[in-house]
Amino acid sequence: MSSNIINLLWESFLETLLMVGISGGLGAVIGIPLGVFLFVTSPKGIMPKPFMNRVIGTIVNAIRSTPFIILLVAIIPFTRLIVGSSIGTVAAIVPLTIAAAPLIARLVETSLREVDKGLVEAAQSMGATNVQIITKVLLPEAMPGILAGLTIAFVALVGSSAMAGAVGGGGLGDMGIRYGYQRFMPEVMAAVVIILIVFVQSLQSFGDWAVRRASHR
């Protein structure tokens, strides 16, 4: 394999890292509060608002049920409005973020549901406000589950970023399609697959470590 191909693989990996890192970070910033909202406004939540919960939940489910490749194409006008282009690494961050946020929201909501209701009731009996219950009870207790959910989301984003590469999103997916498939270079495709496997394994290992740290606390 030539040094030029190796350099391209490195640049493609950095593009994938950029896409996954930024979209995952933005997805978490949007998804975690959204997941908390879905939990606390549910009929049995501490601030029940069934109508708003149903509306937001429907939107979240609609985005989650849309295959990423279709979502990627469907929001091209929105992507152009935000970043001025629908092609390239920066442009791919927009649909990746939109895909990540609802997934993270549902994972956070699921983690919050696993918190012992007795802890919430004890906090309420001591006069804790809803904000205090969320920040001092629910989020700390659910943190291992939330971190595990974020790990799942970041791993899923690696696959989605590769899919974005198939339509000009850049990154390892683009490298695999352009060189490994279209130019019949199986060694490039193999290298892309190996890099993706190592990347995903690294993400999973780091996520597992973070979950263990949070659990020990």
Side-chain angles (χ1 to χ4, degrees):
M1 192 178 297
S2 68
S3 59
N4 183 47
I5 293 295
I6 292 173
N7 288 334
L8 286 173
L9 282 169
W10 174 246
E11 291 173 5
S12 296
F13 170 70
L14 293 179
E15 289 176 353
T16 296
L17 189 63
L18 181 70
M19 285 190 285
V20 172
I22 295 179
S23 61
L26 292 174
V29 168
I30 298 169
I32 292 175
L34 188 58
V36 172
F37 176 85
L38 289 171
F39 175 75
V40 301
T41 59
S42 63
K44 294 183 180 180
I46 59 176
M47 294 186 291
K49 291 180 174 59
F51 176 74
M52 290 182 64
N53 183 276
R54 197 176 304 115
V55 171
I56 300 300
T58 300
I59 294 171
V60 167
N61 290 338
I63 296 174
R64 283 193 62 205
S65 62
T66 304
F68 178 73
I69 193 69
I70 294 176
L71 177 68
L72 182 68
V73 175
I75 66 167
I76 282 177
F78 179 70
T79 302
R80 284 178 179 157
L81 180 65
I82 297 297
V83 299
S85 174
S86 61
I87 299 174
T89 302
V90 176
I93 290 172
V94 177
L96 285 170
T97 301
I98 293 175
L103 172 61
I104 292 172
R106 285 303 187 190
L107 291 170
V108 169
E109 182 188 15
T110 300
S111 297
L112 292 171
R113 285 178 179 171
E114 296 175 358
V115 175
D116 186 357
K117 293 180 181 178
L119 294 174
V120 176
E121 293 170 356
Q124 288 173 326
S125 68
M126 290 187 290
T129 65
N130 289 333
V131 173
Q132 288 174 328
I133 291 172
I134 292 170
T135 58
K136 303 295 186 182
V137 179
L138 289 173
L139 288 175
E141 289 295 322
M143 190 53 64
I146 291 173
L147 290 174
L150 288 174
T151 302
I152 292 171
F154 272 83
V155 168
L157 279 173
V158 175
S160 297
S161 70
M163 204 179 303
V167 290
L172 290 169
D174 180 51
M175 181 79 178
I177 293 295
R178 284 194 296 118
Y179 288 86
Y181 178 70
Q182 294 177 347
R183 301 189 186 184
F184 303 102
M185 299 174 69
E187 69 278 10
V188 173
M189 185 66 79
V192 167
V193 171
I194 291 171
I195 293 170
L196 286 172
I197 290 173
V198 172
F199 185 33
V200 167
Q201 185 60 49
S202 300
L203 281 174
Q204 188 66 57
S205 297
F206 178 77
D208 292 343
W209 172 82
V211 169
R212 288 195 300 270
R213 285 289 300 270
S215 298
H216 290 159
R217 291 176 186 174

